[in-house]
Amino acid sequence: MVDNKEYMTHQDEMGTIQISEDVVASIATSAALEVDGVSGLLNANMADFMGGKKMTAKGVRVEMVEGSIAVHLFLVLRYGCAVAEVAGKVQKSVFATLQDMTGFSVKTVNVHVGGISFE
């Protein structure tokens, strides 16, 4: 992973919670890889052409938008799977997992399919 010292902060009545963007990216990666049909994530060099902020982790870009988490996942899917169906399952899985594990609200989970694996 890229050495990234960005933190997402959540304030409540008991104090402040800070979670590294790298941790959020790791959670999103694990949730995405558990979905049947996902072969892997694009490496940062391939996904960089999509523009915007640098990747937090391999194939994942995380940012804080209006106090909520926004995630971009750059995936490689297995040949023969229904792309829209797998992408939808990834969105739901990552969304639910991030909210459950971090307690932060998730604004968006954007799935970018950048390749097909024939293995």
Side-chain angles (χ1 to χ4, degrees):
M1 271 191 248
V2 176
D3 187 23
N4 188 346
K5 300 298 181 194
E6 297 286 324
Y7 286 88
M8 301 189 159
T9 304
H10 176 70
Q11 297 264 14
D12 67 9
E13 65 277 353
M14 295 177 59
T16 302
I17 299 171
Q18 291 185 324
I19 301 176
S20 167
E21 287 183 359
D22 289 339
V23 171
V24 174
S26 293
I27 293 168
T29 299
S30 294
L33 291 174
E34 289 179 5
V35 175
D36 190 39
V38 176
S39 178
L41 281 83
L42 289 175
N43 66 37
N45 293 336
M46 293 177 72
D48 277 343
F49 77 93
M50 296 288 195
K53 187 177 173 184
K54 283 286 196 195
M55 297 291 130
T56 304
K58 178 182 174 188
V60 181
R61 187 171 62 220
V62 176
E63 52 196 344
M64 199 66 142
V65 177
E66 300 169 4
S68 299
I69 298 172
V71 178
H72 297 269
L73 295 159
F74 299 86
L75 303 178
V76 177
L77 302 184
R78 288 192 192 100
Y79 177 78
C81 71
V83 174
E85 183 180 318
V86 173
K89 288 180 182 178
V90 168
Q91 279 183 313
K92 289 176 186 170
S93 176
V94 170
F95 189 92
T97 303
L98 282 174
Q99 281 198 310
D100 289 346
M101 291 185 73
T102 66
F104 288 16
S105 92
V106 178
K107 183 174 178 85
T108 59
V109 176
N110 299 305
V111 176
H112 309 271
V113 179
I116 299 292
S117 171
F118 294 95
E119 297 178 0

